[in-house]
Amino acid sequence: MRRVFLGYDAVESTKYYFEKGLSWHVACAGDEVKSLKKLERLFDVRLVARENWIQIDGEKAPLERTVAFFEKLSNFYQVRHKQLETRDFEFLCRSFQNRSENDISELLKERIEVGPKKREIMPRSRRQLDYVRAIRSRDVVYGIGPAGTGKTYLAMAMAISEFLKGNVSRIVLTRPARESGENLGFLPGSLEEKIMPYLRPLYDALYDMMSFDEVSALVERGIIEIAPLAFMRGRTLNNAFIILDEAQNTTVEQMLMFVTRMGFGSRCVITGDPTQSDLTGHERSGLVHAIETLREIDEIGFVFFDTRDVVRHALLEKIILAYSKSTQKGKCDAQINA
């Protein structure tokens, strides 16, 4: 990197030069103009980009933070060894916006290998880092929080990684067959076709980390099993990585049934969002009950996510917050009118 400072009216100018094959086209991983405008708003500077350098104009402190951003971006590219994606760029922007850029190096150290043909998966927030570390160190972990915080995705990545390393001999993925507020009615077809709509999100995560042929072969051989929670009753699962998704839709009895399926050499991850339960009014969530009942057991890990850990589209965090405020306002209005 080479810097040239020109002082005038408390405004300085510098050029940041990309190195080792990185360019602005590769770095922004998307709409180059839109990404440039995003950084200008984030750091309150003016940017002019060319293929292998960017000129930065602004006051000293914002200018130095912008340079630090590009240095982290270059380091991120070198560590990942692959072209950056939009989510990589958004992750770095979010880190600097939240003043958590010092965590980036630590997050990169906890990358999860899911095979030679796929990108490594990495935690993208301090809470996700705690989650991955908890899964590595404990046999049972609960990941609790809103949609988009990576609970199921990271658990799936850890399952595949542990299988590829030979630490487990199979992967078992399950979720309760609840209708998410919609009446699906009578589903025609075989048993597998009837339950597929409930299990599709688990397949989506798998296909993001493994090829279709790999998943199909492992499912056919029974190494990866995806089934409704009801199919777990009466089983003992040894040397398996077991994931229960959408656990807020389990009853207390179902949760107890599930956690007692774990056998020797197995890991178990339970994910869910207590605010999104599809249980009927008289049913108590097994996830909420488990939090209250098992929280004091040291060997069980509990990681609680919030909207700051949302790692999907940047707009999703705002949507979740807006709905949360609307729900709280509705409760307050109901209390006032009562």
Side-chain angles (χ1 to χ4, degrees):
M1 186 191 74
R2 181 161 57 101
R3 299 187 192 182
V4 180
F5 287 100
L6 302 172
Y8 55 93
D9 297 333
V11 174
E12 297 182 352
S13 178
T14 187
K15 285 184 179 180
Y16 182 87
Y17 287 85
F18 295 108
E19 299 175 359
K20 299 180 180 178
L22 184 61
S23 65
W24 175 238
H25 174 73
V26 174
C28 72
D31 189 318
E32 298 179 28
V33 175
K34 184 178 179 181
S35 298
L36 212 62
K37 295 296 183 184
K38 181 181 182 70
L39 293 181
E40 287 182 331
R41 291 192 301 270
L42 177 59
F43 295 110
D44 192 23
V45 295
R46 183 176 180 274
L47 301 174
V48 177
R50 295 296 181 263
E51 183 63 18
N52 69 330
W53 57 264
I54 287 188
Q55 180 170 314
I56 311 165
D57 299 317
E59 296 182 1
K60 183 176 181 180
L63 184 144
E64 289 179 348
R65 275 183 57 75
T66 309
V67 170
F69 174 87
F70 287 120
E71 288 176 342
K72 287 288 187 183
L73 186 69
S74 296
N75 178 253
F76 196 87
Y77 173 75
Q78 297 303 327
V79 170
R80 299 286 269 171
H81 301 297
K82 292 185 179 180
Q83 181 167 346
L84 298 178
E85 298 179 349
T86 301
R87 56 184 171 181
D88 297 324
F89 183 81
E90 292 289 341
F91 160 66
L92 290 168
C93 289
R94 187 182 302 111
S95 297
F96 274 80
Q97 184 176 9
N98 297 336
R99 300 277 175 171
S100 60
E101 61 268 23
N102 292 332
D103 293 339
I104 294 174
S105 297
E106 198 170 354
L107 295 174
L108 282 169
K109 292 178 182 178
E110 294 291 344
R111 301 190 306 279
I112 306 167
E113 296 181 4
V114 292
K117 297 181 181 179
K118 292 290 185 177
R119 289 170 59 91
E120 297 169 321
I121 308 299
M122 62 172 286
R124 294 174 180 268
S125 71
R126 172 57 62 173
R127 206 69 54 84
Q128 285 196 354
L129 179 64
D130 294 339
Y131 186 51
V132 170
R133 286 176 172 172
I135 295 174
R136 293 191 197 277
S137 62
R138 288 182 168 87
D139 290 337
V140 179
V141 174
Y142 284 80
I144 301 146
T149 51
K151 304 181 301 296
T152 304
Y153 194 80
L154 287 172
M156 190 77 75
M158 286 296 299
I160 293 172
S161 179
E162 291 296 294
F163 169 72
L164 293 176
K165 291 176 181 176
N167 294 333
V168 295
S169 59
R170 57 177 167 161
I171 299 171
V172 179
L173 312 172
T174 186
R175 65 189 330 223
R178 290 281 175 166
E179 298 182 348
S180 301
E182 297 182 25
N183 185 6
L184 299 179
F186 177 76
L187 296 174
S190 65
L191 176 61
E192 182 178 352
E193 291 170 334
K194 292 176 190 292
I195 63 178
M196 181 57 69
Y198 300 106
L199 306 177
R200 177 54 59 187
L202 298 175
Y203 279 101
D204 291 341
L206 268 178
Y207 292 142
D208 200 35
M209 300 175 199
M210 305 178 77
S211 70
F212 179 85
D213 291 340
E214 287 175 322
V215 173
S216 298
L218 292 174
V219 169
E220 185 175 343
R221 292 164 56 192
I223 294 175
I224 294 179
E225 179 182 352
I226 305 178
L229 180 59
F231 286 22
M232 297 296 107
R233 188 175 298 278
R235 303 177 62 185
T236 299
L237 303 171
N238 295 314
N239 300 312
F241 198 112
I242 315 159
I243 299 175
L244 169 60
D245 191 31
E246 299 290 340
Q248 73 275 4
N249 289 329
T250 63
T251 63
V252 174
E253 293 76 15
Q254 286 175 323
M255 178 62 73
L256 176 59
M257 178 273 291
F258 173 78
V259 294
T260 53
R261 298 309 94 200
M262 188 176 71
F264 293 105
S266 290
R267 304 274 193 88
C268 184
V269 180
I270 300 102
T271 71
D273 178 3
T275 68
Q276 298 293 321
S277 176
D278 297 312
L279 297 173
T280 59
H282 68 277
E283 294 177 304
R284 191 180 185 199
S285 171
L287 178 61
V288 174
H289 182 265
I291 295 170
E292 297 171 354
T293 307
L294 306 177
R295 190 81 177 269
E296 301 303 318
I297 300 178
D298 293 335
E299 292 83 0
I300 299 178
F302 286 87
V303 180
F304 294 87
F305 298 90
D306 57 36
T307 53
R308 291 171 296 181
D309 303 298
V310 171
V311 293
R312 293 183 189 169
H313 194 288
L315 183 59
L316 184 58
E317 180 180 356
K318 296 180 180 179
I319 293 174
I320 293 173
L321 282 172
Y323 269 95
S324 178
K325 291 178 180 178
S326 176
T327 302
Q328 292 174 0
K329 183 178 183 300
K331 290 180 179 178
C332 291
D333 290 343
Q335 291 174 355
I336 292 173
N337 295 327

